[in-house]
Amino acid sequence: MTTIAKLIAVTIDCAEPKKLAEFYSQITGFPVQYAEEEYAGIGDGATSIYFQRVPDRKAPSWPGADKQFHLDFRVPDVATAVEEYVALGATKPEFQPGDWVVLADPEGHLFCVCPERS
């Protein structure tokens, strides 16, 4: 039998960990738990998102095959959330594939803003 693992965190490579931690703290409501030049993290006590400094990281193209991952966030009002997240520094790529909205954070990591389940 395989040992079952519990996901506790995701670590994202970025150029400015403190800045990206602040951005995601604002959209998730997770408080910043740790913030230094090389590493930062946010979390709710059960799940964390960490940000690790990688100075030469390049943002993926969208749409494109170089995207390695993306985060999905469920919100009560997609249009309002998109407007707020863009005001915080996200960008909205032209290509949009579905009933959700694809955004890029201030460093170009893609994430989806998804409607509540009906």
Side-chain angles (χ1 to χ4, degrees):
M1 175 170 223
T2 302
T3 301
I4 301 300
K6 180 179 179 183
L7 179 66
I8 58 170
V10 173
T11 301
I12 298 174
D13 293 346
C14 62
E16 297 183 67
K18 289 167 67 172
K19 181 178 176 182
L20 217 51
E22 284 295 329
F23 173 81
Y24 280 102
S25 174
Q26 291 181 61
I27 70 168
T28 63
F30 289 1
V32 175
Q33 298 171 321
Y34 182 81
E36 297 293 334
E37 294 302 317
E38 297 294 318
Y39 200 74
I42 64 171
D44 67 357
T47 304
S48 298
I49 305 173
Y50 297 121
F51 307 92
Q52 171 178 282
R53 187 169 182 273
V54 176
D56 296 330
R57 187 198 156 270
K58 293 180 181 154
S61 58
W62 175 250
D66 57 343
K67 177 179 70 71
Q68 295 180 348
F69 75 94
H70 71 274
L71 301 173
D72 292 334
F73 296 103
R74 192 172 303 285
V75 298
D77 183 325
V78 172
T80 298
V82 168
E83 184 178 316
E84 292 169 350
Y85 302 164
V86 168
L88 292 171
T91 56
K92 183 178 176 185
E94 186 176 323
F95 177 71
Q96 296 294 321
D99 293 335
W100 60 93
V101 175
V102 177
L103 295 178
D105 72 21
E107 290 201 17
H109 301 95
L110 299 168
F111 66 97
C112 294
V113 181
C114 306
E116 293 286 341
R117 292 182 177 152
S118 51

